[in-house]
């Protein structure tokens, strides 16, 4: 039985809604109903994708392992943001609320950190402009998504730097497909609030406007109440001691917002703007004896991207596109740390700014019925600025050299890192359907970077459609990750006010300094993967993806034998630097299942799940000891089901079992091992009541951590942090969604 309701019912519902809403268009309301209906499994498999080859194609014709999450699945599974979706994906380790800088941390098929995963919106990059780390949390809300395409494996041959672990592309509606507008508001436990909307309007046949946005805030759980041992009030101990009796209560609130706007002129011109903002406390992941939980000690990240896309067809067989985009990210100057490294004083302000401006011209040439070529050339200009800890907020109205700031306990001017560089690139890919059974793909990209030179990234793949039920894919590719501003410009350290911490010439002695390095080379990753897509029955699909990856030129923290003296007038006694050394190797397998089923005349549903296994090692120096990968659970099981009663009720339970997970801290008792966070099982439940308020409203109840488990997420990258970061108890949110 197909899970897709009868189209006649959709037309009947549309006619009924039109009778209740004067002036409503029958076609528009019918479209609003149909766009929320789940696709059959066959329709889902045949949903066109664009991310794998930068052209629209069926999943069976791309050699890459790609998953598509549709609007109906996003809605029913309650993926309110990209973090929710990532957490449920095969091969992904997701650790919430563990990082001071990015809040969440995650690994994809063994690759840790979001600077190895490219995030795009309709093919336009919306993550860090210069390849650094960004928060991937509630700020990436999915209100505008028609579908989300998740491409696993290297894609630098098409997309350039940072497409190492894969690409996530949020696809929105085309103007012709835009339908009814909607708004949703929600509230829940721990003073959690969310609101979002999406609206579209047309002027004639050519001009269309789409606008959407979201706002979210939450106090999150008072973890000191639910984990009294871990968050007991205690002395904050550094060179200064804050007695437990004078300590503040725990705080861990977050907030975010985003705006999406696009103007389309027919199918020729699109101009869009996307903005997202996220706020979290800089004490995230820190133990109470090493940081103060102050609500004004926060980290505010604002990202904005503006683009213009011009499409044209110079000859019948060639489609061309020019994309111009400008992206900026800024850390608010009021962002600051108040922790053991700042002596618990108000002198740990941080500021960062990155910008990217680019232009790219691409073509899609259908050489013949069976052969196509995609090619492009482009240019990007980058600027980045990153400060060390500052005694007061950075003044945006002055240049980096005009701040008039000195290192605490000295009269030495603070050195602020700035960089400007550019990159020119060209790529080409030939994709051939030799017959009904075989497809091959050959691609290569050349990059010429002003800071680290040139690189060539190839990509080879093949698809064998043995029959309608068995599709086999093979892919080999290289990708590179460009050094980020945090790695090349980042500095920190401190000077003491004690007389003995000066040399014979009276120069201050600096301790534990990180020095900048403008000679870092890109990390280079090579990945091989095999995928077996088995359509067991029309309602059951099984996918197996096996992969092996190796990273060279790995960027790690190195202790310098001879400290680099980069601060005039000071003596740095011990220094570390980010540099290229060693390698990382990992391999694994993801088993994925998707089953659509019927339960009589009134009920239908779907069951999905995955089992993931990954193993590997890292060498931080050439010939050095092997160490376990960080932030990876060797085994993970993720299960979910959606049960639908006609068009009135949906019930979606989800469950995750995560094995013991490696942290970022070495195990002192066993060479090569990491300290591990205990495994856990956690479940959520999502219920939706539909066709309310004259058929235009839905009411959702989302319950996370249904069984109120106490568990932790792997952390422990520094001695001042939790090894296993306590996670929130049971929480819930009720949301009303209304369609106009």
């Amino acid at each position: 039985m197909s899970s897709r309701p009868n189209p006649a019912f959709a037309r009947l519902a549309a006619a009924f809604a039109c009778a209740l809403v004067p002036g409503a268009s029958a076609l528009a309301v019918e479209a609003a109903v149909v766009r929320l209906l789940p696709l059959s499994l066959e329709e889902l498999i045949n949903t066109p994708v664009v991310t794998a080859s930068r052209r629209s194609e069926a999943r069976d014709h791309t050699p890459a392992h790609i998953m598509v999450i549709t609007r109906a699945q996003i809605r029913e599974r309650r993926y309110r943001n990209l973090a929710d979706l990532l957490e449920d994906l095969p091969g992904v380790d997701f650790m919430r609320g563990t990082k001071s800088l990015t809040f969440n941390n995650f690994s994809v098929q063994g690759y840790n950190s979001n600077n190895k995963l490219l995030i795009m919106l309709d093919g336009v990059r919306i993550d860090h402009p210069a390849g650094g780390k960004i928060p991937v949390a509630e700020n990436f809300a999915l209100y505008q998504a028609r579908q989300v395409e998740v491409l696993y494996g290297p894609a630098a041959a098409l997309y350039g730097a940072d497409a190492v672990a894969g690409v996530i592309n949020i696809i929105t509606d085309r103007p012709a497909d835009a339908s009814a507008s909607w708004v949703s508001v929600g509230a829940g436990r721990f003073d959690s609030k969310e609101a979002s909307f999406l609206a579209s309007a047309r002027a004639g046949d050519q001009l269309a406007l789409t606008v959407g946005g979201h706002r979210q805030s939450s106090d999150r759980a008072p973890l000191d109440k639910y984990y009294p041992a871990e968050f007991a009030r205690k002395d904050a101990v550094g060179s200064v001691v804050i007695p437990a009796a004078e300590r503040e209560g725990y705080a861990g609130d977050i907030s975010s917002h985003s705006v999406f706007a696009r103007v389309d002129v027919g199918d020729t011109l699109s101009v869009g703007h996307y903005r997202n903002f996220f706020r979290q406390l800089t004490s995230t992941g820190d133990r109470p004896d090493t940081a103060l939980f102050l609500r004004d000690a926060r980290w505010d990240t604002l990202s904005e991207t503006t683009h213009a896309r011009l499409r044209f067809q110079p000859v019948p067989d060639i489609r061309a596109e020019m994309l111009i985009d400008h992206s900026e990210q800024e850390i608010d100057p009021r962002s600051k740390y108040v922790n053991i490294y700042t002596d618990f004083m108000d002198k740990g302000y941080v500021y960062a700014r990155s910008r990217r401006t680019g232009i790219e011209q691409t073509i899609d040439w259908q050489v013949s019925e069976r052969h196509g070529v995609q090619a492009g050339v482009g240019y990007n200009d980058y600027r980045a600025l990153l400060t060390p800890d500052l005694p007061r907020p950075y003044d945006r109205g002055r240049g980096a050299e005009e701040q008039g700031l000195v290192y605490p306990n000295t009269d030495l001017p603070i050195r602020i890192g700035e960089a400007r560089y550019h990159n020119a690139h060209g790529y080409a890919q030939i994709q051939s359907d030799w017959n009904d059974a075989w497809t091959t793909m050959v691609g290569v990209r050349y990059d010429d970077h002003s800071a680290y030179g040139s690189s060539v990234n190839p990509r080879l793949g093949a698809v064998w459609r043995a029959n309608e039920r068995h599709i086999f894919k093979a892919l080999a590719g290289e990708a590179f990750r460009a050094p980020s501003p945090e790695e090349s410009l980042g500095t920190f350290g401190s000077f003491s006010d004690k007389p003995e911490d000066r040399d014979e010439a009276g120069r201050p002695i600096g301790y534990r300094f990180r020095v900048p390095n403008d000679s870092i080379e890109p990390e280079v990753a090579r990945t091989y993967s095999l995928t077996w897509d088995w359509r067991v029955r029309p309602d059951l699909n099984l996918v197996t993806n096996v992969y092996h990856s190796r990273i060279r030129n790995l960027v790690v923290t190195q202790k310098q034998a001879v400290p680099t003296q980069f601060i005039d007038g000071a003596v740095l006694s011990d220094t570390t630097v980010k540099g290229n050394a060693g390698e990382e190797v990992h391999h694994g397998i993801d088993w994925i299942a998707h089953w659509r089923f019927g339960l009589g005349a009134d009920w239908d549903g779907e069951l999905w799940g995955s089992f993931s296994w990954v193993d590997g090692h890292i060498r931080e120096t050439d010939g050095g000891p092997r160490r376990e990968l960080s932030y990876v659970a060797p085994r993970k099981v993720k299960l979910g089901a959606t049960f639908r009663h006609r068009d009135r009720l949906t019930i979606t339970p989800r469950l995750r079992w995560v094995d013991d997970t490696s942290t970022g801290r070495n195990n002192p008792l066993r060479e090569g091992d990491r300290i591990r966070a205990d495994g856990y099982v956690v479940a959520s439940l999502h219920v939706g009541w539909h066709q309310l308020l004259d058929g235009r409203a839905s009411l959702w109840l989302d319950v996370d951590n249904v069984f109120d488990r106490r568990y932790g997420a792997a952390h422990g990258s520094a001695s001042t942090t939790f090894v296993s970061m306590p996670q929130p108890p049971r929480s819930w949110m009720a949301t009303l969604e209304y369609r106009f």
Side-chain angles (χ1 to χ4, degrees):
M1 172 181 171
S2 170
S3 65
R4 187 174 179 82
N6 192 319
F9 174 80
R11 289 192 289 271
L12 198 60
F16 179 69
C18 285
L20 294 175
V21 184
S25 162
L27 292 177
V29 177
E30 181 177 343
V33 175
V34 171
R35 73 198 290 269
L36 298 176
L37 302 181
L39 300 176
S40 68
L41 189 56
E42 181 180 1
E43 290 173 318
L44 179 63
I45 290 172
N46 292 324
T47 299
V49 296
V50 298
T51 308
S53 300
R54 298 184 70 155
R55 66 182 301 187
S56 182
E57 61 184 349
R59 193 174 91 183
D60 292 353
H61 286 257
T62 175
H65 174 40
I66 189 167
M67 296 185 66
V68 179
I69 298 90
T70 66
R71 173 186 281 120
Q73 291 171 327
I74 292 170
R75 186 170 182 261
E76 292 176 343
R77 300 177 187 181
R78 304 303 289 157
Y79 300 148
R80 289 166 290 185
N81 50 66
L82 199 53
D84 292 343
L85 189 151
L86 277 166
E87 190 174 52
D88 208 31
L89 285 178
V92 175
D93 294 90
F94 203 88
M95 292 137 283
R96 289 185 181 264
T98 59
K99 291 290 185 179
S100 176
L101 173 62
T102 60
F103 190 67
N104 296 326
N105 183 31
F106 60 87
S107 299
V108 179
Q109 291 188 333
Y111 288 108
N112 179 248
S113 183
N114 61 22
N115 59 11
K116 297 181 179 70
L117 182 74
L118 188 58
I119 302 174
M120 310 181 82
L121 178 63
D122 288 326
V124 179
R125 181 173 181 155
I126 57 171
D127 55 13
H128 196 292
K133 299 177 182 180
I134 59 169
V136 178
E138 284 75 359
N139 52 323
F140 282 98
L142 295 175
Y143 54 87
Q144 75 283 65
R146 171 170 57 90
Q147 65 190 43
V148 177
E149 299 177 6
V150 182
L151 177 67
Y152 286 84
L158 290 176
Y159 296 107
D162 309 330
V164 177
V167 177
I168 289 187
N169 197 2
I170 303 169
I171 308 296
T172 66
D173 274 322
R174 297 172 300 175
D177 298 331
S179 57
S181 304
W182 59 267
V183 63
S184 73
V185 292
R189 196 180 187 191
F190 308 125
D191 199 27
S192 297
K193 305 181 186 69
E194 288 187 5
S196 58
F197 78 98
L198 188 68
S200 58
R202 299 184 65 88
D205 296 331
Q206 294 294 309
L207 189 62
L209 171 65
T210 305
V211 179
H214 100 283
R215 183 172 289 274
Q216 169 273 335
S217 65
S218 176
D219 286 346
R220 303 185 80 235
L223 294 180
D224 53 344
K225 173 182 176 181
Y226 296 96
Y227 298 88
E230 290 83 350
F231 286 95
R233 291 200 183 188
K234 57 183 65 175
D235 295 348
V237 181
S239 58
V240 174
V241 177
I242 308 296
E246 300 176 11
R247 290 294 306 272
E248 73 295 338
Y250 173 81
D253 49 291
I254 60 172
S255 62
S256 66
H257 68 256
S258 69
V259 175
F260 166 75
R262 191 183 68 225
V263 176
D264 295 280
V265 182
D267 292 327
T268 303
L269 177 65
S270 297
V271 179
H273 181 76
Y274 177 72
R275 165 193 175 108
N276 87 39
F277 169 86
F278 189 72
R279 169 177 293 173
Q280 86 272 20
L281 303 188
T282 52
S283 53
T284 300
D286 289 341
R287 300 196 316 267
D289 59 325
T290 64
L292 302 187
F293 298 106
L294 305 176
R295 282 191 162 86
D296 65 340
R298 63 180 191 266
W299 190 273
D300 290 357
T301 305
L302 175 66
S303 302
E304 296 188 88
T305 301
T306 303
H307 79 274
R309 175 183 276 128
L310 178 66
R311 307 175 187 88
F312 53 98
Q313 193 161 358
V315 296
D317 295 330
I318 295 180
R319 294 189 300 273
E321 178 179 292
M322 177 179 288
L323 175 67
I324 301 173
D325 71 311
H326 177 77
S327 179
E328 298 191 14
Q329 185 187 61
E330 185 177 50
I331 306 301
D332 191 288
R334 293 167 293 180
S335 299
K336 65 178 179 180
Y337 293 91
V338 182
N339 56 24
I340 193 172
Y341 299 112
T342 68
D343 296 326
F344 306 111
M345 298 175 65
D346 194 17
K347 60 180 183 180
Y349 291 91
V350 179
Y351 179 67
R353 182 178 67 234
S354 296
R355 298 176 180 174
R356 184 193 72 249
T357 302
I359 182 170
E360 185 178 60
Q361 176 66 61
T362 61
I363 64 166
D364 183 349
W365 177 24
Q366 194 63 40
V367 181
S368 66
E369 183 180 352
R370 291 190 175 274
H371 304 279
V373 174
Q374 298 85 48
V377 294
Y379 178 87
N380 287 281
D381 183 76
Y382 301 88
R383 296 185 182 186
L385 180 149
L386 179 64
T387 73
D389 290 350
L390 305 177
R392 60 172 172 78
Y394 185 92
D395 185 350
R396 290 190 183 105
R398 299 181 179 182
E401 302 299 325
E402 302 171 337
Q403 294 296 311
L405 298 169
V406 297
Y407 289 101
N409 302 316
T410 77
D411 58 358
L412 303 176
I414 289 179
R415 176 174 173 175
I416 295 174
E418 289 187 279
R420 180 168 183 176
Y421 47 93
H422 60 264
N423 183 72
H425 71 267
Y427 77 90
Q429 177 173 285
I430 302 173
Q431 195 156 330
S432 301
D433 292 325
W434 298 103
N435 49 48
D436 291 342
W438 282 96
T439 295
T440 61
M441 176 271 293
V442 179
V444 65
R445 175 173 167 130
Y446 173 80
D447 286 85
D448 184 17
H449 198 283
S450 62
Y452 54 75
S454 62
S455 62
V456 177
N457 291 275
R459 190 172 184 236
L460 305 171
V463 181
W464 176 36
R465 294 173 290 276
N467 53 48
E468 292 182 354
R469 296 174 58 189
H470 298 279
I471 293 88
F472 299 91
K473 302 180 179 185
L475 181 68
E478 284 195 355
F480 69 101
R481 186 186 71 82
S484 67
E486 294 96 326
E487 292 163 328
S488 60
L489 301 178
T491 70
F492 53 80
S494 63
F495 293 98
S496 168
D497 60 353
K498 298 178 181 179
E500 59 267 28
D501 289 326
R502 291 181 176 269
D503 70 356
E504 295 177 354
R507 295 177 299 177
I509 300 175
Y511 297 98
R512 297 182 300 277
F513 262 86
R514 169 72 51 78
V515 303
N517 182 4
D518 58 4
S519 300
I520 308 178
E521 297 180 0
E523 295 178 339
V524 179
R526 178 176 294 174
T527 298
Y528 304 94
S529 70
L530 295 172
T531 305
W532 173 24
D533 196 331
W534 179 18
R535 287 77 190 266
V536 183
R537 301 185 326 207
D539 57 1
L540 177 61
N541 184 207
L542 302 178
V543 176
T544 302
N545 178 239
V546 182
Y547 57 89
H548 175 84
S549 301
R550 177 174 179 259
I551 305 177
R552 295 178 287 110
N553 285 346
L554 194 68
V555 176
V556 298
T557 302
Q558 301 170 311
K559 185 175 179 61
Q560 294 186 300
V562 179
T564 299
Q565 305 297 323
F566 78 105
I567 301 175
D568 293 337
V571 177
L572 305 185
S573 65
D574 55 327
T575 56
T576 59
V577 65
K578 288 288 187 179
N580 300 102
E583 66 172 12
E584 180 178 329
V585 176
H586 50 262
H587 47 267
I589 185 169
D590 292 329
W591 281 296
I592 306 164
H594 194 180
W595 176 36
R596 291 284 174 88
F597 55 84
L599 296 171
D602 295 333
W603 286 87
D604 68 272
E606 63 179 311
L607 175 69
W608 73 94
S610 66
F611 171 82
S612 300
W613 173 84
V614 63
D615 190 21
H617 69 268
I618 180 174
R619 294 181 189 268
E620 296 183 348
T621 59
D622 290 335
R626 289 187 175 188
R627 298 192 182 278
E628 288 184 303
L629 301 175
S630 295
Y631 308 115
V632 171
R635 291 169 292 273
K636 296 171 284 289
V637 175
K638 301 179 182 183
L639 297 173
T642 294
F643 302 93
R644 307 180 191 90
H645 182 258
R646 296 183 178 177
D647 62 332
R648 300 283 180 173
L649 177 67
T650 54
I651 304 172
T652 302
R654 291 194 279 129
L655 179 142
R656 287 180 292 119
W657 171 76
V658 178
D659 199 0
D660 294 352
T661 305
S662 58
T663 69
R665 197 175 303 178
N666 295 332
N667 187 341
L669 302 179
R670 294 188 61 181
E671 178 69 24
D673 285 0
R674 308 281 190 184
I675 296 176
R676 290 183 170 269
D678 291 339
Y680 59 87
V681 178
V682 65
S684 64
L685 179 64
H686 312 276
V687 182
W689 294 268
H690 312 295
Q691 298 295 320
L692 307 175
L693 301 179
D694 296 331
R696 291 184 172 270
S698 293
L699 179 63
W700 297 93
L701 177 63
D702 303 305
V703 184
D704 294 311
N705 193 358
V706 171
F707 301 109
D708 204 22
R709 298 292 302 272
R710 301 291 178 267
Y711 67 103
H715 188 24
S717 58
S719 60
T720 58
T721 64
F722 283 103
V723 172
S724 181
M725 177 63 194
Q727 296 295 290
R730 181 190 298 120
S731 61
W732 58 266
M733 175 168 284
T735 304
L736 178 65
E737 177 187 280
Y738 188 84
R739 318 195 77 82
F740 297 94

